[in-house]
Amino acid sequence: MSQAPETNAHLVPIPHDAGRRPRRVTTAGAIYERLYADIISLRMPPGLFLQEKRIADEFGVSRTPVREALLRLSEGGLVDIFPQSGTVVSRVPVAAIPEAVVVRKALEGTTVEMAAEAATPADIARLDAIIARQRSHATAGDTASFHEEDEAFHEAIAQISGYPGIWAILKAVKVQLDRARRLTLPALGRMGNVVSEHMIIRDALATHDAAAARSAMIHHLSAVIPDVDELRSRYPNYFC
């Protein structure tokens, strides 16, 4: 990895998806986003010990921006910082999962209704491209890329609705739900079911049927609730 300057004031460009404005973040922000992605994707699983020095060396920075990034992750419930002991990736709090689903249904049920009223042919084409990529990733068994496109689908609907900021709110609310869901995607047939559910939502948006769009979204979000008891039995050290 190319080295980033030590100064936390330096701005590091971060890649952005189509439809978003370019962003620039501090070195601490870049470290945060990298660690955030690794924790959500379970590349850094619950219980993993994080070494400040190792992270600092990887980014070519002092420990100061690393500590800032870890503090921000701690505030978001993704790491636990133990003074004099170290930092570990936090376990997934089971109690946070049902609440996240309730919030998703409330907010995404609303945004999908508004998206149904506002959707243009170009918007539908954008959703079609996302679904096509999801289908390809499902065939290849690429769960990581599939999940990224799943996020893109729901974010696109928020943008089509005219309220893209709602997605930022949802990302913060559903962070623990996302970690648990990453363990369910390998389930036989689940990725195919998600694609089918996304197609039903897409079709309702294309016909500007707000009621059908909301119904399809609520059904879809109900189906993504992970079986926590089963996951806890399979991954006993991942949950609390």
Side-chain angles (χ1 to χ4, degrees), residues 100-111 170 214 218 221:
V101 174
V102 169
V103 174
R104 286 200 73 176
K105 286 181 179 179
L107 293 181
E108 293 199 68
T110 299
T111 56
L170 282 168
R214 181 183 181 88
I218 297 301
L221 295 178

Side-chain angles (χ1 to χ4, degrees), residues 186-210:
L188 183 63
R190 181 56 201 151
M191 288 192 287
N193 289 342
V194 169
V195 171
S196 297
E197 291 160 12
H198 281 184
M199 277 299 303
I200 295 173
I201 295 170
R202 174 263 181 217
D203 290 346
L205 294 177
T207 57
H208 304 290
D209 190 333

Side-chain angles (χ1 to χ4, degrees), residues 4 12-13 16 26 34 43 49 54 58 75 89 97 105 112 119 137-140 144 169 180 189 198 211 226 232:
V12 180
H16 58 282
T26 62
R34 167 72 175 277
R43 288 190 293 269
F49 180 72
R54 183 173 181 178
E58 182 179 356
E75 291 170 348
V89 177
I97 294 175
K105 286 181 179 179
V112 79
H137 295 320
T139 300
I169 296 171
H198 281 184
R232 291 183 80 167

Side-chain angles (χ1 to χ4, degrees), residues 17-70:
D17 295 337
R20 300 179 185 169
R21 298 180 63 182
R23 293 185 300 119
R24 297 175 75 82
V25 297
T26 62
T27 301
I31 296 171
Y32 167 83
E33 293 199 1
R34 167 72 175 277
L35 295 178
Y36 177 95
D38 285 347
I39 292 171
I40 295 299
S41 67
L42 300 183
R43 288 190 293 269
M44 289 182 170
L48 179 70
F49 180 72
L50 301 180
Q51 298 179 339
E52 284 187 10
K53 184 179 185 303
R54 183 173 181 178
I55 297 170
D57 288 346
E58 182 179 356
F59 279 84
V61 299
S62 69
R63 292 193 183 190
T64 299
V66 175
R67 288 170 183 154
E68 290 179 17
L70 292 176

